[in-house]
Protein backbone atom coordinates (compact mmCIF):
# COMPACT_ATOMS: atom_id res chain seq x y z
CA UNK A 1 0.00 0.00 0.00
CA UNK A 2 1.31 3.42 -1.00
CA UNK A 3 1.78 6.05 1.69
CA UNK A 4 1.54 9.82 1.49
CA UNK A 5 3.37 12.26 3.78
CA UNK A 6 2.15 15.81 4.34
CA UNK A 7 2.56 18.59 6.87
CA UNK A 8 -0.28 20.76 8.11
CA UNK A 9 -0.22 23.92 10.21
CA UNK A 10 -2.42 23.49 13.29
CA UNK A 11 -4.33 26.64 14.17
CA UNK A 12 -5.34 27.32 17.83
CA UNK A 13 -3.09 24.65 19.36
CA UNK A 14 -2.73 26.05 22.86
CA UNK A 15 -0.64 23.65 24.96
CA UNK A 16 1.98 20.91 24.72
CA UNK A 17 -0.18 18.49 26.71
CA UNK A 18 -3.01 18.92 24.19
CA UNK A 19 -0.55 18.32 21.33
CA UNK A 20 0.49 15.02 22.96
CA UNK A 21 -3.15 13.94 23.33
CA UNK A 22 -3.82 14.81 19.68
CA UNK A 23 -0.79 12.83 18.53
CA UNK A 24 -1.94 9.74 20.47
CA UNK A 25 -5.47 9.99 19.06
CA UNK A 26 -4.32 10.46 15.45
CA UNK A 27 -1.92 7.52 15.66
CA UNK A 28 -4.88 5.27 16.60
CA UNK A 29 -6.74 6.05 13.34
CA UNK A 30 -6.77 3.11 10.95
CA UNK A 31 -4.51 3.80 7.98
CA UNK A 32 -2.14 6.13 9.86
CA UNK A 33 1.44 4.93 9.72
CA UNK A 34 2.87 7.80 11.75
CA UNK A 35 1.63 11.13 13.08
CA UNK A 36 3.76 13.70 14.88
CA UNK A 37 2.22 16.81 16.43
CA UNK A 38 4.77 19.50 17.23
CA UNK A 39 3.57 22.10 19.73
CA UNK A 40 6.63 24.28 19.14
CA UNK A 41 6.18 24.32 15.36
CA UNK A 42 2.35 24.22 15.53
CA UNK A 43 2.43 21.46 12.89
CA UNK A 44 1.17 17.96 12.20
CA UNK A 45 3.32 15.63 10.11
CA UNK A 46 1.14 12.81 8.85
CA UNK A 47 2.12 9.61 7.03
CA UNK A 48 -0.95 7.62 6.00
CA UNK A 49 -2.52 5.45 3.28
CA UNK A 50 -2.48 7.35 0.00
CA UNK A 51 -5.87 6.09 -1.21
CA UNK A 52 -7.68 7.24 1.98
CA UNK A 53 -5.52 10.28 2.77
CA UNK A 54 -8.24 12.95 2.59
CA UNK A 55 -10.59 10.86 4.75
CA UNK A 56 -7.82 10.26 7.30
CA UNK A 57 -7.00 14.00 7.43
CA UNK A 58 -10.67 14.69 8.21
CA UNK A 59 -10.67 12.09 10.98
CA UNK A 60 -7.42 13.52 12.37
CA UNK A 61 -8.91 17.02 12.46
CA UNK A 62 -11.99 15.71 14.31
CA UNK A 63 -9.71 13.94 16.81
CA UNK A 64 -7.89 17.23 17.45
CA UNK A 65 -11.19 19.07 17.91
CA UNK A 66 -12.16 16.63 20.67
CA UNK A 67 -9.12 17.90 22.57
CA UNK A 68 -9.39 21.58 21.55
CA UNK A 69 -12.76 22.41 19.92
CA UNK A 70 -11.53 25.54 18.07
CA UNK A 71 -8.49 23.80 16.58
CA UNK A 72 -8.24 23.18 12.81
CA UNK A 73 -5.69 22.39 10.08
CA UNK A 74 -4.56 24.96 7.54
CA UNK A 75 -4.59 23.22 4.16
Amino acid sequence: MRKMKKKFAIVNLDCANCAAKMELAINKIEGVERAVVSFMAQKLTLVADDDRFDEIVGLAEKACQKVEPDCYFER
Side-chain angles (χ1 to χ4, degrees):
M1 174 139 326
R2 290 176 31 109
K3 302 290 181 188
M4 181 185 279
K5 178 179 181 177
K6 266 191 163 176
K7 292 186 179 185
F8 299 91
I10 304 176
V11 180
N12 297 325
L13 176 56
D14 295 330
C15 75
N17 188 39
C18 294
K21 287 179 185 176
M22 291 174 184
E23 184 174 298
L24 278 173
I26 295 168
N27 275 299
K28 290 180 184 174
I29 297 170
E30 189 176 330
V32 172
E33 184 176 294
R34 189 178 74 248
V36 179
V37 177
S38 169
F39 174 67
M40 294 300 288
Q42 300 279 298
K43 289 202 183 311
L44 162 67
T45 303
L46 181 64
V47 179
D49 292 347
D50 189 24
D51 59 342
R52 292 184 51 229
F53 199 81
D54 290 337
E55 176 193 351
I56 291 168
V57 170
L59 292 171
E61 195 165 42
K62 284 184 178 133
C64 288
Q65 289 168 345
K66 285 182 182 174
V67 178
E68 287 199 19
D70 59 345
C71 171
Y72 64 93
F73 300 162
E74 226 168 54
R75 292 182 174 83

